[in-house]
Amino acid sequence: MEYMTTASTGGPRWLTDEEQGVWQAYLHATTLMEDHLDRQLQRDAGMPHTYYGLLVQLSRAPGRQKRMTELAKDAKITRSRLSHAVARLEKNGWVRREDCPSDKRGQNAVLTDDGQDMLARSAPGHVEAVRQAIFARLSPQQVKSLGEIMQVIAGGLQPEDTDADLPWLR
């Protein structure tokens, strides 16, 4: 498709062939990456990548706990999906819910000692999967460039408006 600008034609500004190639490579790589990490964690820890990410967030939070609404926002998932995930993590004994002392309507997700132990057991395999999939394939300069590129993209997409209609704010 020929590259057109909105100003000159009033129509969509299509991707150039080079941009389309980069976009398709990005989609392909991120799909493969998520599948790779998900399969590794399912095999080694019996949990999907999303659940592992929730455990990591809780492990880094003060007191190993975080308000459910903040956890959903940080994980970029809906509160409904988070509630389901936390229920599964509770069933495994890795997380528990507690009422929020400052807001009786809110709840905190708390990483249990068993959850911290599971995270400690599964982290080495996960880190190795990440290292093999990304860092073992890139030169130090490519790693630096990738980090810079991802920061630019994330910075441009991260809404400053806290009232934005985003799934994880619903």
Side-chain angles (χ1 to χ4, degrees):
M1 180 143 288
E2 192 172 311
Y3 186 69
M4 301 179 287
T5 63
T6 304
S8 66
T9 65
R13 191 170 161 222
W14 300 105
L15 299 179
T16 65
D17 289 343
E18 182 179 16
E19 290 169 335
Q20 186 65 244
V22 169
W23 173 241
Q24 292 302 316
Y26 169 81
L27 290 175
H28 187 67
T30 55
T31 299
L32 289 172
M33 175 67 67
E34 190 59 35
D35 179 65
H36 174 71
L37 296 177
D38 208 49
R39 283 185 292 114
Q40 178 271 320
L41 284 164
Q42 287 285 7
R43 181 187 66 240
D44 296 350
M47 74 176 101
H49 190 222
T50 300
Y51 292 11
Y52 179 85
L54 295 172
L55 295 180
V56 168
Q57 284 194 48
L58 291 174
S59 75
R60 293 181 174 170
R64 295 189 330 203
Q65 62 182 306
K66 195 177 260 196
R67 222 181 131 130
M68 292 283 284
T69 52
E70 286 302 307
L71 190 56
K73 180 180 162 192
D74 293 345
K76 306 293 187 262
I77 59 176
T78 64
R79 285 184 257 186
S80 172
R81 184 172 176 205
L82 175 66
S83 184
H84 176 73
V86 168
R88 296 282 306 272
L89 293 169
E90 281 180 303
K91 189 175 178 180
N92 290 333
W94 300 336
V95 171
R96 72 175 179 275
R97 293 181 215 218
E98 293 181 353
D99 290 334
C100 180
S102 62
D103 179 359
K104 297 300 179 195
R105 296 174 305 171
Q107 285 192 316
N108 291 331
V110 181
L111 182 65
T112 65
D113 290 341
D114 286 348
Q116 183 66 40
D117 291 345
M118 171 50 78
L119 196 54
R121 285 192 311 273
S122 57
H126 179 65
V127 169
E128 184 57 30
V130 170
R131 181 168 301 290
Q132 286 264 331
I134 300 175
F135 301 107
R137 300 172 191 277
L138 301 177
S139 71
Q141 183 56 46
Q142 287 173 316
V143 169
K144 182 179 180 194
S145 294
L146 180 62
E148 291 169 352
I149 290 166
M150 292 296 109
Q151 287 177 350
V152 168
I153 292 170
L157 294 173
Q158 184 64 41
E160 294 178 22
D161 179 10
T162 57
D163 293 331
D165 186 28
L166 300 170
W168 52 88
L169 297 178
R170 291 184 203 137

